[in-house]
Amino acid sequence: MIKNIIHTFKVLHWLGLSLLIFAIGLYCFTSLEQLRSGIVLIACLSGLGMVMMSPFPVALFLQWASTQNEHTK
């Protein structure tokens, strides 16, 4: 069960990272950051990407804790 959760969070982590990289690319390589709608788009993409990336380290810690619990038994 925990492996399915880890796999789901890993996929979300990579999708979030790609959204964040896409937002950075829009900011650096287009003039979209000068428009109000562009600022909103870049902020939403980067914020959503960071939110999608955040659960993965917690899931890795839970996996590590469960393996440590199994080793002590």
Side-chain angles (χ1 to χ4, degrees):
M1 180 178 153
I2 191 111
K3 290 186 180 195
N4 291 335
I5 294 171
I6 295 293
H7 180 70
T8 304
F9 283 153
K10 191 180 288 188
V11 169
L12 284 175
H13 182 80
W14 284 109
L15 286 174
L17 187 63
S18 63
L19 280 176
L20 186 61
I21 290 172
F22 183 65
I24 292 170
L26 283 177
Y27 181 76
C28 291
F29 300 118
T30 64
S31 61
L32 204 60
E33 79 274 357
Q34 296 176 358
L35 302 173
R36 184 180 305 150
S37 60
I39 293 170
V40 171
L41 176 67
I42 291 170
C44 288
L45 285 174
S46 61
L48 185 62
M50 286 187 275
V51 165
M52 288 173 71
M53 288 171 51
S54 63
F56 185 61
V58 174
L60 285 179
F61 174 75
L62 292 175
Q63 181 185 18
W64 174 80
S66 67
T67 58
Q68 292 297 318
N69 192 19
E70 291 172 2
H71 286 243
T72 58
K73 287 183 178 180

